[in-house]
Amino acid sequence: MKHFFRSLREFPALLNVGAASMVAYRAEMVLWILSATLPLIMLAVWDRVAMDGPVRGFDQGKFALYFAATLIVRQLSGAWVVWELNHQIRTGGLSSALLRPVFPGLWFAAENLAAIPIRLVILVPIVLLIWWWRPELASNFDAIYVPIALISTLFAWLGNFCIQWLFGSFAFWLGQTLGLYNLWFGIWALFSGYLIPFAVMPESMADVARWLPFRALLGTPVDVFSNRLPWSNVVFELGLQLFWVTTLGLLASFVWRMGLRRYEAFGS
Amino acid sequence: MAVFWLAWTVVPLRVVFDTRVGVAGWTYDQSLLVVGFFVTLKGLLDTFVEPNLRSVVEQVRMGTLDFTLLKPVDAQLMISTTKTMPAKLFHVVGGVGLLFYASGQLPQPPSIGSVIWAFLLLSSGLACIYSLWLAVVSLAFFFVRIDNLSYVLESVLDAGRWPVDLYRGGLRFVFTFVVPVGLMTTYPSLALLGNLSAGDGMLSIVVSFVFLFLSRQIWEFALARYSSASS
């Protein structure tokens, strides 16, 4: 723990390094961002469905706002620790990362945060384009929700980070866990609101999905952004999100420490 | 695994058609055909095309592509046929199974003629998707690190899970002629339903030949620029 707090002081420096590496690999980063276009496809599909009349109260404007928010939250809360950890554990690159006086997780976190400016550069024109295409989305939008949505997005990022840390740490035993993570991603996409807004899900599906961790990683901030939550529910939903983030964080740090002991046992 | 992904593909479709009987002239059972063709095509792609082209990117980076180029066989043939991932064939089985199921749900079973048409169009879809991949891989000669471009292509192909009639305006044009996911999954479905005019079918086949030809040109152009490990 002391290790962790001492390295927290170095965080600004890490951010700087992260930003520099984002600039160096900007083309690759842009491609990464463009590969998350699924919300746009889903927007096109749902928009066509809503053309014949609102779906469970969702009209075209609401769908546009919802999927614009999905795109924003997904980009701002994205992490890629699972790829990094998998690679580093397999190649032994982790050894040198562990030798540094900085907790490796902080370094990955700084990289994620440093990517936000470049993500925004791409995100803003796409969102403006959606706005131009469906100006109605503005009438459903309420700026007062934005600060809370941003806090909720931060929680979602923490959750994503922890879950990827968890799956990455499994690589200590399995060597390669990307397939496993893909499976998680698939289930996540169905139950987080990424493909189907919670408000549009069949009731039985929504009732189950509401209590699963997936919603905390995307659905909650998106629903706050797109004004889908009554004020009385906001505190509860954010609390639930925090509960899942803490649970995932504890789980991840437990598995990480177990794995680390095993990794060291190799004598590497 | 294949079963899981099959179900995964069908769930959003189920939810959409839970609220509507028909969307843009498509019913649930008809859209299942589109999904069936999508899963089949993706399975074929993952089995025969993707592993090969991915390894080319690696070979360009390592410089080992030289060994292939030295052989007196056409390089495109060589790089396109060296690897397969048989495990992914389960997806093809799943996709074909879904096609059989969805055809059985139709008011009248497809005729032999329409099955032949569907098969032809599926092949031309595969040709299109192979061409796109080859063009993307050719870019590796210029940019070296191209792994992420393949993710972009893959995510655009996801649009093929839905009947192309759901997209409108510019998007419709893109998905018919630029990244012809419509030709790959919607047209074969229309053929099975007996709703495809012979003209559209021919057009689709012509487009696939144009794609094959163009990608061959891009590949040769890129190859000419290739500076190998030694030169």
Side-chain angles (χ1 to χ4, degrees):
Chain A
M1 226 40 206
K2 223 170 79 194
H3 185 185
F4 180 82
F5 283 111
R6 202 179 46 207
S7 41
L8 210 51
R9 258 187 326 188
E10 311 299 332
F11 201 62
L14 289 176
L15 271 181
N16 259 332
V17 179
S21 96
M22 281 311 119
V23 173
Y25 298 112
R26 56 193 178 277
E28 200 175 26
M29 194 62 211
V30 168
L31 291 178
W32 257 126
I33 296 168
L34 287 181
S35 68
T37 49
L38 209 50
L40 291 177
I41 294 177
M42 290 317 292
L43 172 59
V45 169
W46 281 112
D47 185 77
R48 178 63 188 80
V49 178
M51 202 173 92
D52 308 333
V55 186
R56 292 181 219 269
F58 253 59
D59 58 15
Q60 288 174 312
K62 282 184 183 161
F63 273 118
L65 179 61
Y66 183 90
F67 283 106
T70 307
L71 207 63
I72 294 171
V73 170
R74 174 89 184 116
Q75 287 298 335
L76 293 186
S77 65
W80 57 91
V81 200
V82 67
W83 285 272
E84 294 273 353
L85 262 189
N86 258 289
H87 183 76
Q88 297 219 358
I89 291 173
R90 201 174 38 210
T91 58
L94 190 63
S95 303
S96 65
L98 287 172
L99 276 177
R100 288 188 206 143
V102 174
F103 181 64
L106 276 179
W107 161 237
F108 293 128
E111 229 182 7
N112 281 183
L113 289 179
I116 285 180
I118 190 169
R119 284 176 186 275
L120 284 180
V121 168
I122 296 180
L123 209 53
V124 169
I126 297 179
V127 171
L128 287 179
L129 212 63
I130 298 176
W131 189 8
W132 171 77
W133 177 62
R134 287 265 170 267
E136 307 96 286
L137 78 82
S139 64
N140 293 312
F141 180 71
D142 194 347
I144 209 158
Y145 281 97
V146 170
I148 305 163
L150 285 177
I151 295 172
S152 182
T153 307
L154 179 71
F155 289 169
W157 171 73
L158 274 172
N160 271 327
F161 192 85
C162 291
I163 198 80
Q164 291 206 0
W165 192 261
L166 178 66
F167 277 91
S169 298
F170 286 148
F172 283 117
W173 291 270
L174 301 173
Q176 169 67 278
T177 60
L178 289 178
L180 213 57
Y181 180 74
N182 264 342
L183 191 66
W184 159 274
F185 181 85
I187 303 172
W188 170 86
L190 282 186
F191 291 104
S192 64
Y194 193 49
L195 303 175
I196 311 158
F198 267 77
V200 180
M201 280 182 196
E203 258 121 62
S204 51
M205 186 178 175
D207 282 344
V208 178
R210 203 174 302 283
W211 301 105
L212 297 175
F214 310 104
R215 176 172 165 78
L217 305 180
L218 184 94
T220 312
V222 170
D223 279 352
V224 177
F225 249 124
S226 58
N227 198 359
R228 300 299 314 161
L229 288 180
W231 279 106
S232 51
N233 274 10
V234 167
V235 176
F236 172 74
E237 291 272 355
L238 256 69
L240 192 62
Q241 221 189 348
L242 204 57
F243 163 76
W244 279 118
V245 170
T246 320
T247 310
L248 292 173
L250 289 175
L251 208 62
S253 81
F254 174 72
V255 173
W256 160 257
R257 258 177 288 162
M258 293 270 292
L260 211 55
R261 214 171 293 153
R262 191 186 142 86
Y263 182 72
E264 281 165 347
F266 277 165
S268 50
Chain B
M1 271 317 265
V3 174
F4 168 79
W5 286 113
L6 198 65
W8 187 85
T9 316
V10 173
V11 169
L13 199 72
R14 189 63 259 186
V15 172
V16 165
F17 284 95
D18 210 36
T19 63
R20 291 293 140 85
V21 180
V23 178
W26 288 79
T27 65
Y28 174 65
D29 292 325
Q30 292 171 340
S31 311
L32 268 187
L33 287 176
V34 178
V35 174
F37 278 112
F38 178 82
V39 174
T40 308
L41 202 64
K42 188 88 186 352
L44 290 172
L45 183 74
D46 287 349
T47 312
F48 298 108
V49 180
E50 209 240 61
N52 283 307
L53 297 182
R54 205 170 276 280
S55 88
V56 177
V57 176
E58 188 61 25
Q59 288 182 37
V60 170
R61 186 158 51 210
M62 308 290 287
T64 46
L65 190 67
D66 293 18
F67 303 128
T68 310
L69 296 179
L70 283 174
K71 295 194 175 106
V73 186
D74 182 66
Q76 187 186 340
L77 187 72
M78 286 286 289
I79 59 124
S80 304
T81 52
T82 42
K83 276 189 178 173
T84 52
M85 290 259 279
K88 298 278 184 184
L89 276 176
F90 286 110
H91 291 272
V92 181
V93 174
V96 173
L98 187 61
L99 282 176
F100 270 103
Y101 168 78
S103 308
Q105 298 295 105
L106 297 176
Q108 71 229 39
S111 66
I112 298 289
S114 52
V115 172
I116 293 174
W117 260 116
F119 187 76
L120 272 177
L121 291 177
L122 182 68
S123 318
S124 76
L126 193 62
C128 286
I129 208 171
Y130 164 76
S131 309
L132 280 173
W133 255 103
L134 185 68
V136 165
V137 162
S138 301
L139 291 176
F141 290 102
F142 303 98
F143 301 114
V144 186
R145 280 222 66 166
I146 211 74
D147 318 32
N148 289 331
L149 199 58
S150 64
Y151 285 114
V152 178
L153 184 61
E154 237 165 74
S155 72
V156 175
L157 288 181
D158 273 339
R161 295 172 194 278
W162 302 89
V164 76
D165 299 290
L166 260 66
Y167 307 110
R168 278 163 297 151
L171 218 50
R172 174 80 179 267
F173 178 82
V174 168
F175 289 146
T176 312
F177 295 108
V178 186
V179 188
V181 287
L183 299 190
M184 296 169 196
T185 58
T186 306
Y187 277 42
S189 311
L190 283 175
L192 270 191
L193 293 168
N195 288 343
L196 190 77
S197 68
D200 280 350
M202 290 310 289
L203 179 74
S204 166
I205 291 173
V206 170
V207 167
S208 71
F209 275 104
V210 171
F211 265 78
L212 278 177
F213 174 76
L214 283 180
S215 67
R216 171 82 189 178
Q217 297 302 312
I218 295 174
W219 163 257
E220 281 183 347
F221 176 77
L223 208 55
R225 300 294 158 102
Y226 173 57
S227 53
S228 66
S230 51
S231 62

